[in-house]
Amino acid sequence: RRVLFRSGAVHEIFAASAADEPSASGFAVTLAVRASETRPLVWVRQDFAGVEAGEIYAPGLADFGLSPDRVILVRARDGPSVLRAGEEAARCPPLGAVIIAPWGAPKALDLVASRRLALAAARSNVPLFMVRAGAEPEPSAALTRWRVRAALSAALEADAPGRPAFDVELLRDRAGAAGRNWILEWDRDQRIFKDIPALSRGMVSL
């Protein structure tokens, strides 16, 4: 079953635990890399996310195949500020993708707010990836919803560090493919995910 990340929509990526926030962010980055191609992207991050999970590391972005020069980083004080900045960014057609990262479950992030984000993304045809940490899924206008955990990567030749690996579960897909789980490796050179069949349950093409 193919799962396609449609542009012009909101996609939620939940960290399975607070400790999995870096993995959830990494998964969002890989999706943004695929969606944005060579265009710039905006990453709106709440200050508290940096305190809890660490700040963004430019060489790490390069390891995912994303040049830091393409990233417009926006620091926001609280959840409502993240949503406002994310909505403004999602209205900009020249962008390749938008990532927003509110921490926890801010009251401002309700169904109405998610619909505003979805409408902005639809009008500009810019995909918006919302990284959620310290929160549980609630009703939203997201097209897909994922839960992400860190996964063990396989060592490369000469015991070199392996590729980034993710344990991803599709919680919601309006196309009807929810309830599946995959272990994926990210190949930055080809900009594709590689399924690890022995550990995955189902099929995926992202």
Side-chain angles (χ1 to χ4, degrees):
R1 178 69 171 90
R2 292 173 63 88
V3 181
L4 301 178
F5 279 88
R6 194 182 76 195
S7 295
V10 174
H11 305 277
E12 290 181 318
I13 302 169
F14 280 81
S17 68
D20 290 305
E21 192 278 343
S23 292
S25 292
F27 187 61
V29 167
T30 61
L31 299 178
V33 166
R34 286 176 57 86
S36 63
E37 298 180 345
T38 60
R39 290 170 292 171
L41 63 89
V42 168
W43 191 341
V44 185
R45 202 160 187 252
Q46 188 172 336
D47 287 337
F48 194 71
V51 175
E52 288 292 308
E55 298 295 345
I56 295 172
Y57 184 54
L61 296 180
D63 283 342
F64 279 102
L66 175 60
S67 171
D69 294 338
R70 289 174 48 207
V71 180
I72 302 169
L73 179 61
V74 179
R75 300 281 297 271
R77 180 181 59 185
D78 52 27
S81 299
V82 171
L83 298 177
R84 287 194 297 270
E87 183 179 344
E88 288 298 320
R91 292 174 177 170
C92 300
L95 293 177
V98 175
I99 301 173
I100 67 172
W103 189 271
K107 292 182 179 180
L109 183 49
D110 55 14
L111 183 57
V112 173
S114 72
R115 285 174 176 165
R116 289 176 61 92
L117 292 171
L119 182 59
R123 286 176 172 171
S124 64
N125 200 37
V126 173
L128 187 147
F129 304 102
M130 188 183 326
V131 178
R132 304 293 309 279
E136 293 296 327
E138 296 179 354
S140 78
L143 182 65
T144 65
R145 176 181 292 156
W146 301 79
R147 180 179 288 126
V148 178
R149 299 176 176 85
L152 292 175
S153 60
L156 300 178
E157 294 182 5
D159 288 329
R163 299 184 179 96
F166 308 93
D167 181 339
V168 300
E169 179 183 1
L170 181 58
L171 301 177
R172 175 186 182 182
D173 178 8
R174 290 185 178 177
R180 310 237 180 147
N181 176 262
W182 300 272
I183 307 296
L184 302 173
E185 284 188 339
W186 171 248
D187 186 328
R188 71 174 185 184
D189 297 322
Q190 300 184 57
R191 295 189 175 188
I192 61 172
F193 289 100
K194 294 184 177 179
D195 188 19
I196 304 177
L199 300 177
S200 299
R201 295 177 289 281
M203 297 175 60
V204 68
S205 178
L206 300 178

